[in-house]
Amino acid sequence: MALAELVPRLPTGPRWWCEVKMDGHRTVLWRLADTVRLQARSGRDVTGPWMDLAVAGMALPPGVVLDGEAVVVVDGRVSFEAAQSRAASSPARARQLAAQRPALLITGVRASSS
């Protein structure tokens, strides 16, 4: 097992493949015909705690599915503690937290060389 290490820049070359690990919550966003649904990796509906992401997702065309990481930025850095607080919040508390620090859904694109 390799531990993560902070480096000034990522290694490059044909044998390197890197992915940024965000300190958030793995989340899938579904833009449905008339709403948005967010789901945790466990399958649990998490639309309530991440309602600001659902509202932003309404701008996407129906049928779009995004797999990403719901994160909260505090003082210019992604904060796992802030994401944990949001995920465990009641709907009313989640709205307060979202007003103070809106969430972001970070997604990545993987390209394969076939």
Side-chain angles (χ1 to χ4, degrees), residues 18-35:
C18 300
E19 180 177 274
V20 175
K21 169 60 180 112
M22 293 289 168
D23 277 339
H25 282 254
R26 181 74 181 271
T27 306
V28 178
L29 179 149
W30 278 278
R31 173 58 166 102
L32 305 171
D34 58 352
T35 191

Side-chain angles (χ1 to χ4, degrees), residues 3-104:
L3 297 177
E5 181 180 335
L6 184 62
V7 296
R9 67 180 181 269
L10 297 174
T12 59
R15 299 186 71 193
W16 286 96
W17 186 84
C18 300
E19 180 177 274
V20 175
K21 169 60 180 112
M22 293 289 168
D23 277 339
H25 282 254
R26 181 74 181 271
T27 306
V28 178
L29 179 149
W30 278 278
R31 173 58 166 102
L32 305 171
D34 58 352
T35 191
V36 171
R37 181 173 186 270
L38 293 148
Q39 180 179 314
R41 183 176 57 198
S42 66
R44 185 173 55 93
D45 186 301
V46 293
T47 307
W50 302 102
M51 185 55 70
D52 51 336
L53 295 178
V55 170
M58 289 299 291
L60 299 168
V64 169
V65 177
L66 299 176
D67 181 3
E69 195 91 4
V71 300
V72 178
V73 176
V74 177
D75 297 328
R77 297 184 67 118
V78 172
S79 169
F80 183 69
E81 292 79 15
Q84 285 288 84
S85 292
R86 176 76 78 86
S89 295
S90 68
R93 178 71 178 140
R95 282 191 298 277
Q96 289 175 335
L97 293 172
Q100 295 167 1
R101 293 190 176 98
L104 301 170

